[in-house]
Amino acid sequence: MAFGDNLPPYILATSDAGIEVEIVRAALAYRGHVLHARYQPMGRIPVSFISGEVNAIMMDVGVDMAPHGGFYGKPPVLYDNVFYTLKSRNLIISKPDDLKGHSIMAFIGAAKRYPVWLAALNHVPGYVERNNQAVQPALLTLGRYEVILSDRLIFQYYTQLYQRANPGFVMPPLDEHTFTHANPRDYRPVFRDATVRDDFNAGLVHLHKTGLDRAIQDRYLKN
């Protein structure tokens, strides 16, 4: 099964782990399947399925896999992206125009994912997209950027890492500005075998009923 190449705490390629990977592994194991994960650049993921290189992929990256023999499963995780600002700035972000004139740091591909909110800012000097989200908590605190776009768990994970590396660091009070709702269709895995897909879905139901999915998440987000 192909996953993105690295997105802590969801995907930790070097240790073959992460919230997303472990939930998928546990859901498949519920009916006896063993996960062999391959970590690839996002653009490679649909290609590897179409070519037959892998038997499943985590997310179709916007390419419909049904015509290529894909069977869609239920999403094991949902990315919950919000805008973060320092509470001391008293910013209100409720519409796209509220972002104008502010320095913004987002993840790679954010403008394509949220064109209504970000496409107009894509070529403005104050707007940047970076792969390295580990620096977001520090840059927000230092005032290098007024607005950070991040998934809640990713931001929490990197904040905790930074605090452990810098014991004197204290994250100031923040405002979270919700601007969208996660679409489960964007985070569905795809399987070549409908039976494996059904087994995976049954495993997800089991994980949710027993709380094992939450336990996996909590292991990565302990203070």
Coordinates of all heavy atoms in Angstrom, one line a residue, residues 110-182:
A110 N -1.4 24.1 -0.6 CA -2.6 24.7 0.1 C -3.5 25.6 -0.8 O -4.7 25.5 -0.7 CB -2.2 25.5 1.4
A111 N -2.8 26.4 -1.6 CA -3.6 27.2 -2.5 C -4.4 26.4 -3.5 O -5.5 26.8 -3.9 CB -2.6 28.2 -3.3
K112 N -3.8 25.3 -3.9 CA -4.6 24.4 -4.9 C -5.8 23.7 -4.1 O -6.8 23.5 -4.7 CB -3.7 23.4 -5.5 CG -2.7 23.9 -6.5 CD -1.8 22.8 -7.1 CE -0.9 23.4 -8.1 NZ 0.0 22.4 -8.7
R113 N -5.5 23.4 -2.9 CA -6.6 22.7 -2.1 C -7.7 23.7 -1.7 O -8.9 23.3 -1.7 CB -6.0 22.1 -0.8 CG -6.9 21.5 0.2 CD -7.7 20.3 -0.3 NE -6.7 19.2 -0.5 CZ -6.4 18.3 0.5 NH1 -6.9 18.4 1.7 NH2 -5.6 17.4 0.2
Y114 N -7.3 24.9 -1.4 CA -8.3 25.9 -1.0 C -8.3 27.2 -1.9 O -7.9 28.3 -1.4 CB -8.1 26.3 0.5 CG -8.1 25.1 1.4 CD1 -6.9 24.7 2.1 CD2 -9.2 24.4 1.6 CE1 -6.9 23.7 2.9 CE2 -9.3 23.3 2.5 CZ -8.1 22.9 3.1 OH -8.1 21.9 4.0
P115 N -8.6 27.0 -3.2 CA -8.4 28.2 -4.1 C -9.3 29.4 -3.7 O -8.8 30.5 -4.0 CB -8.9 27.6 -5.4 CG -9.7 26.4 -5.1 CD -9.2 25.8 -3.8
V116 N -10.5 29.2 -3.2 CA -11.3 30.3 -2.8 C -10.6 31.2 -1.8 O -10.7 32.4 -1.8 CB -12.7 29.8 -2.3 CG1 -13.5 31.0 -1.8 CG2 -13.4 29.1 -3.4
W117 N -9.9 30.6 -0.9 CA -9.3 31.3 0.2 C -7.9 31.8 -0.2 O -7.4 32.9 0.3 CB -9.2 30.4 1.4 CG -10.5 30.3 2.1 CD1 -11.5 29.4 1.8 CD2 -11.0 31.1 3.2 NE1 -12.6 29.6 2.7 CE2 -12.2 30.6 3.6 CE3 -10.4 32.1 4.0 CZ2 -13.0 31.2 4.6 CZ3 -11.1 32.7 5.0 CH2 -12.4 32.2 5.3
L118 N -7.1 31.0 -0.9 CA -5.7 31.3 -1.1 C -5.2 31.5 -2.4 O -4.1 32.1 -2.6 CB -4.9 30.1 -0.5 CG -5.2 29.8 1.0 CD1 -4.5 28.5 1.4 CD2 -4.8 30.9 1.9
A119 N -5.9 31.2 -3.5 CA -5.4 31.3 -4.9 C -5.0 32.8 -5.2 O -3.9 33.0 -5.8 CB -6.4 30.9 -5.9
A120 N -5.7 33.8 -4.7 CA -5.4 35.2 -4.9 C -4.1 35.6 -4.2 O -3.5 36.6 -4.6 CB -6.6 36.1 -4.5
L121 N -3.7 34.8 -3.2 CA -2.5 35.2 -2.4 C -1.3 34.5 -2.9 O -0.2 34.7 -2.4 CB -2.8 34.9 -0.9 CG -4.0 35.6 -0.3 CD1 -4.2 35.1 1.1 CD2 -3.8 37.1 -0.3
N122 N -1.4 33.5 -3.8 CA -0.4 32.6 -4.2 C 0.9 33.3 -4.7 O 2.0 32.8 -4.5 CB -0.9 31.6 -5.2 CG -0.1 30.3 -5.2 OD1 0.7 30.0 -4.2 ND2 -0.2 29.5 -6.2
H123 N 0.8 34.5 -5.2 CA 1.9 35.2 -5.8 C 2.2 36.5 -5.0 O 3.0 37.3 -5.5 CB 1.7 35.5 -7.3 CG 1.5 34.2 -8.1 ND1 2.5 33.3 -8.3 CD2 0.4 33.8 -8.7 CE1 2.0 32.3 -9.0 NE2 0.7 32.6 -9.3
V124 N 1.6 36.6 -3.8 CA 1.9 37.8 -3.0 C 3.1 37.4 -2.1 O 3.2 36.3 -1.5 CB 0.7 38.0 -2.1 CG1 0.9 39.2 -1.1 CG2 -0.5 38.4 -3.0
P125 N 4.0 38.4 -1.9 CA 5.3 38.1 -1.2 C 5.0 37.6 0.3 O 5.8 36.8 0.8 CB 6.0 39.5 -1.2 CG 5.5 40.1 -2.4 CD 4.1 39.7 -2.6
G126 N 3.9 38.0 0.9 CA 3.7 37.6 2.3 C 3.1 36.3 2.4 O 2.9 35.8 3.6
Y127 N 2.9 35.6 1.3 CA 2.3 34.2 1.4 C 3.3 33.2 0.9 O 3.9 33.3 -0.1 CB 1.1 34.1 0.5 CG 0.5 32.7 0.4 CD1 -0.4 32.2 1.4 CD2 0.8 31.8 -0.6 CE1 -0.9 31.0 1.4 CE2 0.3 30.5 -0.6 CZ -0.6 30.1 0.4 OH -1.1 28.8 0.3
V128 N 3.6 32.2 1.8 CA 4.6 31.1 1.4 C 4.0 29.8 1.8 O 3.2 29.6 2.7 CB 5.9 31.3 2.2 CG1 6.6 32.6 1.8 CG2 5.7 31.2 3.7
E129 N 4.4 28.8 1.0 CA 4.1 27.4 1.3 C 5.4 26.6 1.5 O 6.3 26.8 0.7 CB 3.3 26.8 0.1 CG 1.9 27.4 -0.1 CD 1.1 26.7 -1.2 OE1 1.6 25.8 -1.8 OE2 -0.1 27.1 -1.4
R130 N 5.5 25.9 2.6 CA 6.7 25.2 2.9 C 6.4 23.7 3.3 O 5.4 23.5 4.0 CB 7.4 25.9 4.1 CG 7.9 27.3 3.7 CD 9.2 27.2 2.8 NE 9.7 28.6 2.6 CZ 9.4 29.4 1.6 NH1 8.4 29.0 0.8 NH2 9.9 30.6 1.5
N131 N 7.3 22.8 2.9 CA 7.2 21.4 3.3 C 7.4 21.2 4.8 O 6.8 20.4 5.5 CB 8.2 20.6 2.5 CG 7.5 19.9 1.3 OD1 6.3 19.6 1.3 ND2 8.3 19.7 0.3
N132 N 8.4 22.0 5.3 CA 8.8 21.8 6.7 C 7.9 22.5 7.7 O 8.0 23.7 8.0 CB 10.2 22.4 6.9 CG 10.8 22.1 8.3 OD1 10.2 21.4 9.1 ND2 11.9 22.8 8.6
Q133 N 6.9 21.8 8.2 CA 5.9 22.4 9.1 C 6.4 22.4 10.5 O 5.8 23.0 11.4 CB 4.6 21.7 9.0 CG 3.9 21.9 7.6 CD 2.5 21.2 7.6 OE1 2.4 20.2 6.9 NE2 1.5 21.7 8.3
A134 N 7.6 21.8 10.8 CA 8.1 21.7 12.1 C 8.4 23.1 12.7 O 8.4 23.3 13.9 CB 9.4 20.9 12.1
V135 N 8.7 24.1 11.8 CA 9.1 25.4 12.2 C 7.8 26.3 12.5 O 8.0 27.4 12.9 CB 10.0 26.1 11.2 CG1 11.3 25.3 11.0 CG2 9.3 26.3 9.8
Q136 N 6.7 25.9 12.1 CA 5.5 26.7 12.2 C 5.2 27.3 13.6 O 5.0 28.5 13.8 CB 4.3 26.0 11.7 CG 4.2 25.8 10.2 CD 3.0 25.2 9.7 OE1 2.3 24.4 10.4 NE2 2.6 25.4 8.5
P137 N 5.3 26.5 14.7 CA 5.0 27.0 16.0 C 6.0 28.1 16.4 O 5.6 29.2 16.9 CB 5.1 25.8 17.0 CG 4.8 24.7 16.1 CD 5.4 25.0 14.7
A138 N 7.3 28.0 16.1 CA 8.3 29.0 16.5 C 8.1 30.2 15.7 O 8.1 31.3 16.2 CB 9.7 28.4 16.3
L139 N 7.8 30.1 14.4 CA 7.7 31.3 13.5 C 6.5 32.1 13.8 O 6.5 33.3 13.7 CB 7.7 30.8 12.0 CG 9.0 30.2 11.5 CD1 8.9 29.9 10.0 CD2 10.2 31.2 11.7
L140 N 5.4 31.4 14.2 CA 4.2 32.1 14.7 C 4.5 32.9 16.0 O 4.1 34.1 16.1 CB 3.0 31.1 14.9 CG 1.7 31.8 15.3 CD1 1.2 32.7 14.2 CD2 0.7 30.7 15.6
T141 N 5.1 32.2 16.9 CA 5.4 32.8 18.2 C 6.3 34.0 18.0 O 6.1 35.1 18.7 CB 6.0 31.8 19.2 OG1 5.2 30.7 19.3 CG2 6.3 32.4 20.5
L142 N 7.3 33.9 17.2 CA 8.3 35.0 17.0 C 7.7 36.1 16.1 O 8.4 37.2 16.0 CB 9.5 34.4 16.3 CG 10.4 33.5 17.1 CD1 11.4 32.8 16.3 CD2 11.0 34.2 18.3
G143 N 6.5 36.0 15.6 CA 5.9 37.0 14.7 C 6.4 37.1 13.3 O 6.2 38.0 12.6
R144 N 7.2 36.0 12.9 CA 7.6 36.0 11.5 C 6.5 35.9 10.5 O 6.5 36.4 9.4 CB 8.6 34.8 11.3 CG 9.8 34.9 12.2 CD 10.8 35.9 11.9 NE 11.9 36.0 12.9 CZ 12.9 35.2 12.8 NH1 13.0 34.3 11.8 NH2 13.9 35.3 13.7
Y145 N 5.4 35.2 11.0 CA 4.2 35.1 10.2 C 3.0 35.4 11.1 O 3.0 34.9 12.3 CB 4.1 33.7 9.5 CG 5.1 33.5 8.4 CD1 6.3 32.8 8.7 CD2 4.9 34.0 7.1 CE1 7.3 32.6 7.8 CE2 5.9 33.8 6.2 CZ 7.0 33.1 6.5 OH 8.0 32.9 5.5
E146 N 2.0 36.1 10.6 CA 0.8 36.4 11.4 C -0.2 35.3 11.4 O -1.0 35.1 12.3 CB 0.2 37.7 10.9 CG 1.1 38.9 11.0 CD 0.4 40.1 10.2 OE1 0.6 40.1 9.0 OE2 -0.2 40.9 10.9
V147 N -0.2 34.5 10.3 CA -1.2 33.4 10.1 C -0.5 32.1 9.7 O 0.4 32.2 8.8 CB -2.2 33.8 9.1 CG1 -3.3 32.7 9.0 CG2 -2.9 35.1 9.4
I148 N -0.8 31.0 10.4 CA -0.3 29.7 10.0 C -1.5 28.8 9.6 O -2.5 28.8 10.4 CB 0.5 29.1 11.2 CG1 1.7 29.9 11.6 CG2 0.8 27.6 10.9 CD1 2.8 29.8 10.6
L149 N -1.3 28.2 8.5 CA -2.4 27.2 8.1 C -1.8 25.8 8.4 O -0.7 25.4 7.8 CB -2.7 27.3 6.6 CG -3.6 26.3 6.0 CD1 -4.9 26.2 6.8 CD2 -3.9 26.5 4.5
S150 N -2.5 25.0 9.2 CA -2.0 23.7 9.5 C -3.1 22.8 10.0 O -4.2 23.3 10.5 CB -0.9 23.8 10.6 OG -0.5 22.5 11.0
D151 N -3.0 21.5 9.9 CA -3.8 20.6 10.5 C -3.6 20.6 12.0 O -2.5 20.8 12.5 CB -3.5 19.2 10.0 CG -4.1 18.1 10.8 OD1 -5.3 17.8 10.7 OD2 -3.4 17.5 11.7
R152 N -4.7 20.5 12.8 CA -4.6 20.6 14.2 C -3.6 19.7 14.8 O -2.8 20.0 15.7 CB -6.0 20.4 14.9 CG -6.9 21.6 14.7 CD -8.2 21.4 15.6 NE -8.9 22.6 15.7 CZ -10.0 22.9 15.0 NH1 -10.4 22.1 14.0 NH2 -10.7 24.1 15.1
L153 N -3.7 18.4 14.4 CA -2.8 17.4 15.1 C -1.3 17.6 14.7 O -0.4 17.4 15.5 CB -3.2 16.0 14.7 CG -4.5 15.5 15.2 CD1 -4.7 14.0 14.9 CD2 -4.7 15.7 16.7
I154 N -1.1 18.0 13.4 CA 0.3 18.3 13.0 C 0.8 19.5 13.8 O 2.0 19.5 14.3 CB 0.3 18.6 11.5 CG1 0.0 17.4 10.7 CG2 1.7 19.2 11.1 CD1 -0.1 17.6 9.2
F155 N 0.1 20.6 14.0 CA 0.5 21.7 14.7 C 0.8 21.4 16.2 O 1.8 21.8 16.8 CB -0.5 22.9 14.6 CG 0.0 24.2 15.1 CD1 0.8 25.0 14.3 CD2 -0.2 24.6 16.4 CE1 1.3 26.2 14.7 CE2 0.3 25.8 16.9 CZ 1.0 26.6 16.0
Q156 N -0.1 20.6 16.7 CA 0.1 20.2 18.1 C 1.3 19.3 18.3 O 2.1 19.5 19.2 CB -1.2 19.4 18.6 CG -1.1 18.9 20.0 CD -2.4 18.1 20.4 OE1 -3.4 18.1 19.7 NE2 -2.3 17.4 21.6
Y157 N 1.5 18.4 17.4 CA 2.7 17.5 17.4 C 4.0 18.3 17.3 O 4.9 18.1 18.2 CB 2.6 16.5 16.2 CG 3.8 15.6 16.1 CD1 3.9 14.5 16.8 CD2 4.7 15.9 15.1 CE1 5.0 13.6 16.7 CE2 5.8 15.0 14.9 CZ 5.9 13.9 15.7 OH 7.0 13.0 15.6
Y158 N 4.1 19.2 16.4 CA 5.3 20.0 16.3 C 5.5 21.0 17.4 O 6.6 21.3 17.8 CB 5.3 20.7 14.9 CG 5.7 19.8 13.8 CD1 5.0 19.7 12.6 CD2 6.9 19.0 13.9 CE1 5.4 18.9 11.6 CE2 7.3 18.2 12.8 CZ 6.5 18.1 11.7 OH 6.9 17.3 10.7
T159 N 4.4 21.5 18.0 CA 4.5 22.3 19.2 C 5.1 21.6 20.3 O 6.0 22.1 21.0 CB 3.1 22.9 19.6 OG1 2.6 23.7 18.5 CG2 3.2 23.7 20.9
Q160 N 4.7 20.3 20.5 CA 5.2 19.5 21.6 C 6.7 19.2 21.4 O 7.5 19.2 22.3 CB 4.4 18.3 21.8 CG 3.0 18.5 22.3 CD 2.1 17.3 22.4 OE1 2.5 16.2 22.1 NE2 0.9 17.5 22.8
L161 N 7.1 18.9 20.1 CA 8.5 18.6 19.8 C 9.3 19.8 20.1 O 10.4 19.7 20.7 CB 8.6 18.2 18.3 CG 8.2 16.8 17.9 CD1 8.6 16.6 16.4 CD2 8.9 15.7 18.8
Y162 N 8.9 21.0 19.7 CA 9.6 22.2 19.9 C 9.8 22.5 21.4 O 10.8 22.9 21.9 CB 9.0 23.4 19.2 CG 9.9 24.6 19.1 CD1 10.9 24.7 18.1 CD2 9.8 25.7 20.0 CE1 11.7 25.8 18.0 CE2 10.6 26.8 19.9 CZ 11.6 26.8 18.9 OH 12.4 27.9 18.8
Q163 N 8.7 22.3 22.2 CA 8.8 22.5 23.6 C 9.8 21.5 24.3 O 10.5 21.9 25.2 CB 7.4 22.3 24.2 CG 6.4 23.4 23.9 CD 5.0 23.2 24.4 OE1 4.6 22.0 24.4 NE2 4.3 24.2 24.6
R164 N 9.8 20.3 23.8 CA 10.8 19.4 24.4 C 12.2 19.7 24.0 O 13.2 19.6 24.8 CB 10.5 17.9 23.9 CG 9.3 17.3 24.6 CD 9.2 15.8 24.4 NE 8.9 15.4 23.1 CZ 7.7 15.2 22.6 NH1 6.6 15.4 23.4 NH2 7.5 14.8 21.3
A165 N 12.4 20.3 22.8 CA 13.8 20.7 22.4 C 14.2 22.0 23.0 O 15.4 22.3 23.1 CB 13.8 20.8 20.9
N166 N 13.2 22.8 23.4 CA 13.5 24.1 24.0 C 12.6 24.3 25.3 O 11.5 24.8 25.3 CB 13.1 25.2 23.0 CG 13.8 25.1 21.7 OD1 14.9 25.7 21.5 ND2 13.2 24.4 20.7
P167 N 13.2 23.8 26.4 CA 12.4 23.7 27.7 C 11.8 25.0 28.1 O 10.8 25.0 28.8 CB 13.4 23.1 28.7 CG 14.4 22.4 27.8 CD 14.5 23.1 26.5
G168 N 12.4 26.1 27.8 CA 11.9 27.4 28.2 C 10.8 28.0 27.3 O 10.2 29.0 27.7
F169 N 10.5 27.3 26.2 CA 9.5 27.8 25.3 C 8.1 27.6 25.8 O 7.7 26.5 26.2 CB 9.7 27.1 23.9 CG 8.6 27.4 22.9 CD1 8.6 28.6 22.2 CD2 7.5 26.5 22.7 CE1 7.7 28.9 21.3 CE2 6.5 26.8 21.8 CZ 6.6 28.0 21.1
V170 N 7.3 28.6 25.7 CA 5.9 28.5 26.1 C 5.1 29.1 24.9 O 5.3 30.2 24.5 CB 5.6 29.3 27.4 CG1 4.1 29.3 27.7 CG2 6.4 28.8 28.5
M171 N 4.2 28.3 24.4 CA 3.3 28.7 23.3 C 2.3 29.7 23.8 O 1.5 29.4 24.8 CB 2.6 27.6 22.6 CG 1.6 28.0 21.6 SD 2.3 28.8 20.2 CE 3.2 27.5 19.4
P172 N 2.3 31.0 23.3 CA 1.3 31.9 23.8 C -0.1 31.5 23.4 O -0.3 30.7 22.5 CB 1.7 33.2 23.1 CG 2.5 32.8 21.9 CD 3.2 31.5 22.3
P173 N -1.1 32.2 24.0 CA -2.5 31.8 23.6 C -2.8 32.1 22.1 O -2.3 33.0 21.6 CB -3.3 32.8 24.5 CG -2.4 33.1 25.6 CD -1.0 33.1 25.1
L174 N -3.5 31.1 21.6 CA -3.8 31.2 20.1 C -5.3 31.3 19.8 O -6.1 30.8 20.6 CB -3.2 29.9 19.4 CG -1.7 29.6 19.6 CD1 -1.4 28.3 18.9 CD2 -0.9 30.7 19.0
D175 N -5.6 31.8 18.7 CA -6.9 31.6 18.1 C -6.9 30.7 17.0 O -6.0 30.7 16.2 CB -7.4 33.0 17.6 CG -7.9 33.9 18.7 OD1 -8.4 33.4 19.7 OD2 -7.6 35.2 18.6
E176 N -7.9 29.8 16.9 CA -8.1 28.9 15.8 C -9.3 29.4 15.0 O -10.3 29.6 15.5 CB -8.4 27.5 16.3 CG -7.2 26.8 16.9 CD -7.6 25.3 17.3 OE1 -8.7 24.9 16.9 OE2 -6.7 24.7 17.9
H177 N -9.0 29.5 13.7 CA -10.1 30.0 12.8 C -10.5 28.9 11.8 O -9.7 28.6 10.9 CB -9.6 31.2 12.0 CG -9.0 32.3 12.9 ND1 -9.7 33.4 13.3 CD2 -7.7 32.5 13.3 CE1 -8.9 34.2 14.0 NE2 -7.7 33.6 14.1
T178 N -11.6 28.4 12.1 CA -12.2 27.3 11.2 C -12.7 27.9 9.9 O -13.5 28.9 10.0 CB -13.3 26.5 11.9 OG1 -12.7 25.9 13.1 CG2 -13.8 25.4 11.0
F179 N -12.3 27.4 8.8 CA -12.7 28.0 7.5 C -13.2 27.0 6.5 O -13.7 27.3 5.5 CB -11.6 28.8 6.9 CG -10.4 27.9 6.3 CD1 -10.3 27.6 5.0 CD2 -9.5 27.4 7.2 CE1 -9.3 26.8 4.5 CE2 -8.5 26.6 6.7 CZ -8.4 26.3 5.4
T180 N -13.1 25.7 6.9 CA -13.6 24.6 6.0 C -13.9 23.4 6.8 O -13.6 23.4 8.0 CB -12.5 24.3 5.0 OG1 -13.0 23.4 4.0 CG2 -11.3 23.7 5.6
H181 N -14.6 22.5 6.2 CA -14.9 21.2 6.9 C -14.2 20.1 6.0 O -14.4 20.1 4.8 CB -16.4 21.0 7.0 CG -17.0 22.0 7.9 ND1 -16.9 22.0 9.3 CD2 -17.8 23.1 7.7 CE1 -17.5 23.0 9.8 NE2 -18.1 23.7 8.9
A182 N -13.6 19.2 6.7 CA -12.9 18.1 6.0 C -13.9 17.3 5.2 O -15.0 16.9 5.7 CB -12.1 17.2 7.0

